[in-house]
Amino acid sequence: MSTSSLRSFEYLESLPGTTFNRLYKEPSTALAIFRRMLPHLAKSLVMAMLYISHPLTFSDLEAWVQPGNRKDRDHTVSLLERLQILKATVQPGKPRAYLLTNPFAASLRLALTGGGGHKSFGVPCDTREQRPVSVAELDEFAREQWEGVLGYMVGSTGISLANEKVNLSPSVKALLQLGGLVEAKGRSVDITQDGFAFILQEVNAQVWTILTLYLENAQQIHDIGPSADGDKLGMDDVDVLSFLFMLGSLELGQGYSKSNLTETQSQMLLDLGDFGVVYQDTTDSPHFYPTRLATTLTSDAGALRTSSVSFDNGLNASSDSKGFIVIETNYRLYAYTSSALQIAILGLFARLSIRYPNMVAGKITRESIRRAVDIGITSDQIISFLTTHAHPQMRKNNPVLPVTVVDQIKLWQMEGDRMKATVGFLFKDFLTPAEFEDPCKYAEEIGVLVWKDEPRRMFFVTKHEQIAAFLKRGKEKRKAT
């Protein structure tokens, strides 16, 4: 699963079964989750079972996976069960078997073969009578809006990133605060640790992060917005999710009718327009256009980085994508870029002193690193950013960054940080050593084990779903024997 899918998967995982049942009635949703959320092994299992009407026994399923890949097989089955795509059927006297759930299987078949009058993939409309909107214009609109969001987040550097064409709505600012990406302190706004991690992501991952935050906080941002009049908007989760998945299946440059949208989805057009995900000539326009931010939502590749030169011009300029940062052993830093956004990001953890038309110079100091740490940025994030954007000449070195600089950045953070917190789950109270050792070993195999205490029969993991399923299967085996 790609990094940009992880947070959206965690949100989906928390939904009740009835919500999944409504979601999967839309072929566009089933296809989007199949394309975006599932790893290759899961896709292979789904396609192999898609046209099988009878349950598939566990032994048959096991035969499709190489014997040494037990970890991948168990992870895949657990993931499909959590997404309500696969269900286990247990009958007395018969082996454990699996079957694809409906309506997911029916909707995916319909999406792959076509047909039906479901209008799940949007309703294209004829816009020839009006001024057509070109792909270049859509890219420019998306770039300006997205730069406006990122510029607002890194505005604490004091570098002006204002764009007269972009005016962020109170709902956008409220969403960034509710999502923990920025922290408002009076009239000033500071980026947080999560916000800086967000900045480091590629554009597609950033869009999914924002959309997931929107899913979690849609009702709140409307309740506190200036248009709130005491009446609840009643944002329906299924309508919101279905619309987001539909956007990923639309064609760039094609206009789509708003006539088949629900009230929730019509409100979403206004909200997503603030982020540059969709474009409307006016709010009363009978149609809308998805931008490249929307049409690549269900793509495995971050198309925004390479498919549009105009879009790359701010977020990922050609010089920046090749690497633009040079750093010396005396902590002096040179950045060959004219992007105000990239310069503002550098200003979060470096003291910039000189600026030329195509270059800025500065120095990484104890004070600049401590200032970054104080707002939640970690040394690992700073080092990752410097490494990712290192100049081609720097990349000839091994390691890429000077060791003295890397070590000193970590030491400056350690001056104030002595502990590291990890969110997770503690398993304890095992009656026998065997009961403890099996799930503990399994947790280590699937990569979720953080800590264990064998004498006290306790272990700590970052994810509990697969461990709980493992314990349940073990309990069923013991009952059977």
Side-chain angles (χ1 to χ4, degrees), residues 169-172 174 178 217-230:
S169 67
S171 296
V172 171
L178 288 170
N217 301 285
Q219 186 62 62
Q220 287 181 267
I221 63 175
H222 288 104
D223 289 345
I224 65 178
S227 60
D229 55 5

Side-chain angles (χ1 to χ4, degrees), residues 82-146:
R82 284 179 280 157
L83 287 177
Q84 306 288 323
I85 294 174
L86 194 69
K87 65 178 179 180
T89 59
V90 180
Q91 298 180 1
K94 292 186 178 182
R96 186 182 182 88
Y98 289 95
L99 188 69
L100 291 182
T101 61
N102 271 316
F104 178 85
S107 293
L108 183 58
R109 286 192 292 265
L110 187 59
L112 295 176
T113 58
H118 48 78
K119 298 180 181 180
S120 180
F121 294 95
V123 180
C125 62
D126 188 357
T127 58
R128 287 178 295 179
E129 298 179 358
Q130 305 180 22
R131 185 187 72 84
V133 180
S134 67
V135 171
E137 289 177 305
L138 292 174
D139 281 343
E140 181 65 16
F141 169 75
R143 183 189 64 80
E144 289 178 350
Q145 293 297 127
W146 199 251

